[in-house]
Amino acid sequence: MSATSTAMAYLADRIRDILDGDPRITEKTMFGGLTFLLNGHILVGCRKDGRILLSVGKDNNEAALARPGATQMIHGEKVMRGFIWVDAEAIEEDDDLRDWLTTAERWVAALPPK
């Protein structure tokens, strides 16, 4: 297993520990990494470079971007408001990762199940 694959597996395990068997969560490979879905909606995705992709909702986009390590998701040339990347350095501590997951969960849990 390569170092990047190992890093992504470690990040995924950290996320699993925080989500702690939530029955609403499923896992799927998307966007070049492992993505955790809550009721069928993207909650958080892991990238091989250690970043995470979070769904925060358009109304929460600017507040999320104001936090350290956050950047806007851009797909092709399209700005994907409501989705942000968080750098690996900003989630090194489990409390920081947990806080980001809680931020995403507040938004995604309010969406109707797919």
Side-chain angles (χ1 to χ4, degrees):
M1 188 179 288
S2 72
T4 55
S5 295
T6 302
M8 188 170 68
Y10 174 70
L11 178 57
D13 285 343
R14 289 178 60 211
I15 291 170
R16 284 186 194 102
D17 286 346
I18 292 169
L19 298 176
D20 196 24
D22 185 327
R24 304 171 299 166
I25 301 293
T26 55
E27 298 179 19
K28 183 176 183 179
T29 301
M30 299 172 69
F31 302 113
L34 181 64
T35 301
F36 293 81
L37 307 171
L38 189 150
N39 293 327
H41 298 278
I42 295 171
L43 178 68
V44 59
C46 306
R47 290 295 300 248
K48 292 177 183 173
D49 61 5
R51 291 183 299 161
I52 57 173
L53 173 68
L54 290 167
S55 175
V56 296
K58 291 179 181 179
D59 291 344
N60 306 312
N61 196 76
E62 296 309 312
L65 286 175
R67 294 173 60 177
T71 56
Q72 187 68 64
M73 178 187 182
I74 299 174
H75 185 68
E77 294 185 21
K78 184 177 179 187
V79 173
M80 304 296 291
R81 286 188 45 80
F83 291 92
I84 60 161
W85 290 108
V86 179
D87 294 334
E89 296 78 22
I91 55 169
E92 288 178 343
E93 300 296 324
D94 286 344
D95 286 344
D96 294 328
L97 178 58
R98 183 176 290 105
D99 187 50
W100 276 112
L101 291 174
T102 299
T103 297
E105 194 271 340
R106 268 188 231 113
W107 160 251
V108 177
L111 299 172
K114 281 190 172 181

